[in-house]
Amino acid sequence: MVAPSFSIECDPAGPFLHLSLVGDWNRVIADRFATEVAGGIRGMIAAGALPGTFLTLIDMSRKNILPQDIATDMARMLRPDSPSRRIAFVVSGSLHLLQARRLCESEGRRCFPTEEAARQWLFAD
């Protein structure tokens, strides 16, 4: 079992948001993640980043499958009116891919096997 953790890197100039999720998540870590992501987004907007223009990379390659209730909460965070124009998911394995695809049902969201491929797509304009 891998301890649950995450990292959040915000670059308002990009505007780029890089989220890394690791391990076995429970409600406590999921709630903390949601709170910290919201704070990061508010900080990016306060620094001049425009909502609707963010490029977001979510690295789930070292994350175990999300429990259903947490996956539902994650889907709410990634709703079509989120501040992100594009969201790229880095996943490992077929189960991750299946779960991430449920989060990618909106335009501007895709899954990738590597961070390099995800970044190429995100910044390809």
Side-chain angles (χ1 to χ4, degrees):
M1 186 178 265
V2 177
S5 65
F6 60 85
S7 66
I8 300 170
E9 298 172 35
C10 301
D11 176 10
F16 180 62
L17 182 61
H18 186 192
L19 310 172
S20 295
L21 292 65
V22 177
D24 295 308
W25 279 32
N26 58 27
R27 173 58 48 204
V28 172
I29 191 91
D31 289 348
R32 197 173 93 220
F33 173 75
T35 299
E36 290 189 27
V37 167
I41 290 170
R42 283 191 303 275
M44 288 176 68
I45 292 169
L50 298 174
T53 65
F54 291 24
L55 301 174
T56 301
L57 190 149
I58 302 175
D59 185 349
M60 298 175 62
S61 63
R62 297 182 303 137
K63 165 88 196 66
N64 293 340
I65 301 301
L66 292 168
Q68 185 57 45
D69 62 325
I70 295 172
T72 299
D73 291 348
M74 180 77 75
R76 279 189 213 115
M77 288 176 66
L78 302 171
R79 64 192 185 275
D81 66 337
S82 80
S84 297
R85 178 170 53 95
R86 286 187 171 176
I87 300 174
F89 294 87
V90 178
V91 298
S92 63
S94 58
L95 288 178
H96 266 144
L97 183 58
L98 288 173
Q99 189 169 60
R101 279 191 177 151
R102 288 187 206 126
L103 302 172
C104 293
E105 292 178 348
S106 298
E107 187 174 328
R109 280 113 172 98
R110 295 218 181 127
C111 296
F112 299 90
T114 67
E115 185 171 325
E116 180 181 339
R119 284 177 180 269
Q120 284 177 351
W121 176 76
L122 279 173
F123 294 100
D125 277 272

